[in-house]
Every structure is written in C-alpha cells, then in structure tokens.
Amino acid sequence: MHPFRTRGRRGSKPAATGLLALLTTLVALLAAVPASANAGRTGDGARSCRSGIDRTSAEPAATPGARVLHNYRMSFATEMANAVRVDKAKLVPLLPEGYEPVPASALGLGSENDGVFVFVNVCNENFAIDGKVSQRTSLVNIPSILVREPADAAAAGLDIPGAFHIYPLDIYIDDRAYVDSLRSADMPVHFIPDITHDRRIDDAGVGDLTVRVPARKNPFSSLNEGLGFTSTGRVDVIVWYEGDKGTAALTFRFDVAQQGPARSQVFTKPGTELNRILGGGGLGPGPTDPKTGFESIRTPSLSFQYPQGGSGSLILIKKPCGYGSGCAEQ
C-alpha cells in the first residue's frame, strides 16, 4: 500500500533507490509546473477501482508472536499516496512513545528537520474479511505519518525488509463490516459512507483521480494526476496503533505492485487539525477551492495498482499488565 520503502531498523538507510529517484524527479518537475487547470474541482464521482476481470490472491500466513484477529483479501486494488513534507516538530507530538518519523531528507523531500505526512487513498475490489466478501468495492483513506519500524515489529514477525510503516491520525472507510473489524483492535476508524473516489487512470497509470472524504472533524479532498507506471515489485505495509487493548498492526502484502509518480493538490478545511499540520508543508500552497473554501498544498505522490490483489491481517500484541485495560498476564 505505500509510497516510501524503508528498511525497518532504526538508523538504517532507505531501501528504495528507485522510488527515491521517482520522488526526486517529481519534486523538480512540480517546481516548474503551474497549478492544475482543474484546481478546486472536487465534485462527486464514480465508486470503482477499474473495469476488468477479478483475480484472487493467496491467504496470508499466520504471524507468530501475536494474536490474529482477522484476515483480509482483495482481488484487485489501486492506491494514490500523497507524500507531504511537514515540519517534524508538528508530527512528533502526534506519535506515542516508541514511534519516530522517517526524516523527509531520506526521501529527497526535505531536510532532517522535516517528516512525511501521507494521505493513503485506496480502492479495493471484492474485499473479504475472514473469507466473506463485505463489499464489491471498498474505499479506504488514511491520513498518517510515515514512521520507522517500531520495536514491536520483530515480536509480531513484522520486521519485513522494505516494508512501509505508518501511524494513522484517523482511518476513514465506507465499508461497515471493515470498520467493525478494525474496531476490535481499537483502531481509530470512522464509517464514512459517502467517500468519493473518481478514478480515471488507465492500466498504464496515466490519468486523473479525484478523492473527497467528508469527515466531520477533518474533511479533505485531493486532485491527482498519474504520470504512468514505471516499475513493478512487491509492497508490504503495516499500519500501527496503540490502543487500550494493546498494540494493533494492520498489515497487507501485495506481491505484484505496479507503481509510478503522480502530482497532487491536497485540500483541507481551514482551522482543522489536518489544515494546521499541513500548513507550510509540501511543495508550497496551491489554489483555494472556490466552492468549499478549502486551502490546498501541492505535493508529489505515488500511484499504485495491484492487479493480483493482496492479503493481510489485523494483529493484536498484548501490553504487559499496568499499561492498559487489555494487558497480558505476566
């Protein structure tokens, strides 16, 4: 699911030279490109990932060292990940102890004093929970912080070379069954039935995507232009969260991932938490949406397509007694 491949060990260097080159090139390209002619257009659109045949991926293997609450699978998926450079001082207070932002300098997006805030926008086809399809098309949006591999990864068997690790501010999903499953691990998930995901990106990775998430607390939207898929490889992602029941890890694996650069404008409502986080970040301000009054920033992004789908699990690592209501016995 994610745009920045990092090695998981603290202090180690990123392991995605190809993606780093893509991002560096895209940053230079965006610096010379004026704001999109479609600026401010965040209207309603289609709710589909693409048209075509569905494929089925293998079930994920059991993960040692932790309790697996649910298993997931999708037959096909697409993703747009907006990578926003943000002052690290804004991100550190949002993370619990044991989590550290990946410096933007490691990705060619900023300095050592910057981190990376990521908007993960995913469309799944035939999303199955424990073997049962919940919705024909499920939409997932995760505003989150790119973090280094936490210490709990090894205990859960999630110290996967090259995996992406993110910590969410919130998770927005239009699939009620998916929302309920994540709540079993105290994930900060919200049911938003009217998410817009209007994807007009072809199989070569070229085209436009409009996203709109009308969340009550932190509404946001984005205009995205895919510039074409340039490479294919495996992608692993882990979404971490510290809740009362313990440490939750939502993990996905995509064995075949087509990926390429994109450029985006991300719109947030003035005065909201997201708007304050993004202020002064990215590649600079973009136009204000004349319809909503939302402010925007310009940012590089990465576009993904998972033609063979993927599989994953929701894992719960119990806390020692004294560190939460869901503690494990000593």
Side-chain angles (χ1 to χ4, degrees):
M1 226 167 54
H2 295 291
F4 315 111
R5 190 175 296 273
T6 59
R7 278 211 183 277
R9 299 281 189 267
R10 293 184 181 274
S12 61
K13 295 182 179 179
T17 303
L19 290 181
L20 174 57
L22 277 178
L23 285 168
T24 303
T25 301
L26 186 56
V27 169
L29 175 64
L30 282 172
V33 173
S36 169
N38 293 323
R41 184 168 60 83
T42 56
D44 293 337
R47 291 166 50 85
S48 64
C49 306
R50 52 100 205 216
S51 59
I53 307 171
D54 294 323
R55 301 176 178 88
T56 302
S57 62
E59 290 285 354
T63 304
R67 180 187 173 194
V68 177
L69 301 182
H70 297 286
N71 289 313
Y72 304 107
R73 186 180 67 215
M74 72 286 294
S75 62
F76 179 92
T78 61
E79 177 183 352
M80 183 67 69
N82 312 129
V84 186
R85 175 195 61 80
V86 171
D87 185 344
K88 193 184 294 185
K90 293 183 178 182
L91 303 181
V92 171
L94 301 175
L95 295 171
E97 183 179 356
Y99 294 86
E100 178 185 352
V102 171
S105 58
L107 306 169
L109 293 178
S111 72
E112 284 287 333
N113 295 323
D114 295 319
V116 180
F117 197 89
V118 184
F119 288 85
V120 178
N121 307 288
V122 178
C123 184
N124 297 311
E125 287 186 2
N126 297 318
F127 190 77
I129 305 170
D130 300 324
K132 182 179 180 180
V133 173
S134 58
Q135 276 188 192
R136 174 64 180 83
T137 302
S138 296
L139 304 179
V140 182
N141 302 83
I142 311 176
S144 54
I145 301 169
L146 185 68
V147 296
R148 297 184 187 275
E149 180 188 286
D152 283 326
L158 299 177
D159 50 344
I160 303 167
F164 307 136
H165 300 266
I166 63 172
Y167 198 93
L169 187 69
D170 285 298
I171 302 173
Y172 303 111
I173 302 178
D174 73 343
D175 182 336
R176 175 75 76 178
Y178 193 6
V179 167
D180 290 343
S181 74
L182 295 183
R183 285 178 177 165
S184 68
D186 287 338
M187 282 281 195
V189 60
H190 306 271
F191 176 58
I192 308 291
D194 50 350
I195 294 172
T196 291
H197 189 105
D198 185 2
R199 182 179 174 89
R200 302 180 186 186
I201 296 177
D202 62 23
D203 285 341
V206 177
D208 299 324
L209 167 68
T210 299
V211 173
R212 186 175 64 88
V213 181
R216 180 177 300 178
K217 183 177 71 171
N218 276 312
F220 66 92
S221 58
S222 64
L223 300 175
N224 309 273
E225 181 185 2
L227 303 177
F229 297 132
T230 58
S231 61
T232 302
R234 172 178 158 178
V235 167
D236 293 88
V237 59
I238 301 100
V239 183
W240 297 90
Y241 190 73
E242 296 294 329
D244 288 341
K245 295 178 181 178
T247 300
L250 175 62
T251 176
F252 282 99
R253 170 177 171 173
F254 303 93
D255 287 322
V256 179
Q258 298 167 292
Q259 55 198 29
R263 53 192 175 202
S264 306
Q265 294 169 17
V266 178
F267 295 79
T268 55
K269 184 178 181 179
T272 61
E273 184 178 19
L274 273 179
N275 184 258
R276 291 191 294 269
I277 292 171
L278 301 189
L283 297 176
T288 297
D289 187 322
K291 182 178 179 180
T292 65
F294 284 18
E295 298 171 345
S296 77
I297 59 167
R298 298 164 55 242
T299 185
S301 299
L302 286 176
S303 177
F304 294 85
Q305 181 167 281
Y306 308 118
Q308 295 181 6
S311 57
S313 299
L314 178 62
I315 298 165
L316 185 64
I317 307 167
K318 289 288 188 178
K319 294 181 179 179
C321 286
Y323 289 88
S325 60
C327 67
E329 294 297 331
Q330 298 292 334

